[in-house]
Amino acid sequence: MTQPPAPRDLDTSRPHSARMYDYYLGGKDHFEVDREAAERVAAEFPTIFIGAQANRSFMQRATRVLAGQHGIRQWLDIGTGIPTNPNLHQVAQAVAPEARVVYTDNDPLVLKYAQTLMHSTREGRTAYIHADINEPDSILNAPEFHEVLDLTKPVALSLMAIMHFVTDSQDPYGIVDRLMGALPSGSALVLSHGTTDFDPEAWEKITEIYHRSGTPLQFRPKADVARFFTGLDLLEPGMAVGHRWRPDPVDDTAEAPGEEPTDAEISLWVGVAIKP
Ligand SMILES: C[S@@+](CC[C@H](N)C(=O)[O-])C[C@H]1O[C@@H](n2cnc3c(N)ncnc32)[C@H](O)[C@@H]1O
């Protein structure tokens, strides 16, 4: 694992996306400054909390489908976030104990907790790379990437709620092309992405909140999110709003089944596609 950065890298003077997301998920690994910014987002978009949960649930369903139905045994997860149970490797290894996962994030706090992500099964393996997705070659050339992943076999590239932190001026489509280009045929792209499509006013305000806190970000309409899947074969049902992608069966025996959220309440486009 890459050496932890000096403590000064942990900037608590301004909000950080990983720590704000931790707050949305009900975690404890954030500071006052993150809570305040996250609350400003929640004031504009009160369902941000269930949106974040829906994003985690999609990750779990997509991982189980790829491991259980498509034989995928390797993942490269970029923008991992602060560890949150169950983490991707726990979901994958519950289906296939030999599954291998390389995690990557650029946030020093995620690096600090990355040891939690190293609790792999004995048959499988996990690793962590501290890197920025804007420099995809720093991930593809990292020793951990080659030690853990066998590039003669399919790998799922997992980009969950990260690509909206890469603005058009940073060449997001070129970055995804570069990463998918390094993976063999039969590999997969799993992506979730915030969208302005259903509640443009609220999501423009959220964009402003992140911009003001020093985090550039760009939520995208469906057609722009669809561009990430160019040249790949989308699995059924194609792109969907997070909670509508192969939802788990409703538990009829539950005493008070929850109401299904609307698309606007989730505002996340997701999809899973296979490289031909
Ligand atoms: C909203 S969280 C998503 C966490 C997790 N993928 C999930 O969906 O539950 C976004 C994550 O992307 C990371 N991130 C943002 N920009 C990044 C970059 N340029 N390079 C690597 N990671 C980045 C943040 O640190 C944060 O952990």
Side-chain angles (χ1 to χ4, degrees):
M1 203 173 78
T2 318
Q3 279 304 301
R8 66 183 157 74
D9 285 354
L10 198 60
D11 181 358
T12 57
S13 67
R14 64 179 186 90
H16 265 233
S17 62
R19 299 177 333 219
M20 288 170 70
Y21 184 68
D22 176 72
Y23 180 79
Y24 303 145
L25 286 175
K28 293 189 167 34
D29 299 308
H30 51 264
F31 301 98
E32 187 61 19
V33 71
D34 308 306
R35 192 184 63 75
E36 281 169 12
E39 280 296 344
R40 282 198 294 280
V41 170
E44 299 301 339
F45 191 72
T47 55
I48 191 76
F49 305 103
I50 57 167
Q53 294 290 355
N55 185 49
R56 292 299 295 182
S57 302
F58 164 66
M59 177 277 281
Q60 294 180 40
R61 297 195 304 280
T63 304
R64 285 197 296 266
V65 165
L66 287 175
Q69 298 172 22
H70 295 267
I72 297 276
R73 295 291 179 267
Q74 312 188 93
W75 276 259
L76 170 61
D77 178 59
I78 310 181
T80 297
I82 293 164
T84 301
N85 271 325
N87 295 290
L88 196 159
H89 73 281
Q90 294 166 303
V91 180
Q93 291 179 344
V95 181
E98 72 274 29
R100 294 172 161 243
V101 180
V102 172
Y103 291 108
T104 302
D105 205 290
N106 70 344
D107 189 300
L109 195 64
V110 179
L111 174 61
K112 187 172 166 226
Y113 291 120
Q115 211 51 46
T116 312
L117 302 168
M118 299 303 117
H119 297 152
S120 167
T121 54
R122 258 188 296 145
E123 304 90 319
R125 188 132 177 230
T126 60
Y128 184 82
I129 303 170
H130 182 69
D132 192 314
I133 197 170
N134 291 298
E135 290 162 21
D137 286 339
S138 70
I139 300 169
L140 298 175
N141 294 331
E144 295 89 343
F145 177 78
H146 294 279
E147 276 160 29
V148 174
L149 302 180
D150 173 357
L151 294 186
T152 66
K153 297 191 176 132
V155 178
L157 172 63
S158 161
L159 300 176
M160 301 288 307
I162 179 174
M163 290 316 292
H164 45 239
F165 293 107
V166 183
T167 60
D168 281 352
S169 65
Q170 294 167 298
D171 190 21
Y173 302 103
I175 291 171
V176 175
D177 272 358
R178 173 78 188 110
L179 292 165
M180 284 305 293
L183 307 179
S185 162
S187 292
L189 173 63
V190 186
L191 184 124
S192 69
H193 195 298
T195 187
T196 41
D197 283 352
F198 305 106
D199 190 350
E201 220 174 282
W203 285 78
E204 268 155 35
K205 288 189 183 136
I206 296 173
T207 305
E208 263 172 51
I209 294 168
Y210 277 90
H211 272 259
R212 276 203 307 272
S213 69
T215 303
L217 137 164
Q218 184 172 356
F219 298 114
R220 295 184 168 91
K222 187 177 186 184
D224 290 357
V225 180
R227 270 186 69 190
F228 289 111
F229 295 106
T230 304
L232 308 175
D233 300 329
L234 274 164
L235 296 184
E236 286 299 322
M239 280 175 59
V241 178
H243 60 308
R244 301 197 191 283
W245 194 93
R246 302 198 190 187
D248 288 328
V250 176
D251 180 0
D252 294 333
T253 60
E255 276 190 10
E259 245 178 63
E260 189 181 275
T262 64
D263 290 352
E265 283 171 335
I266 301 299
S267 287
L268 268 182
W269 285 115
V270 307
V272 180
I274 304 288
K275 180 173 173 175

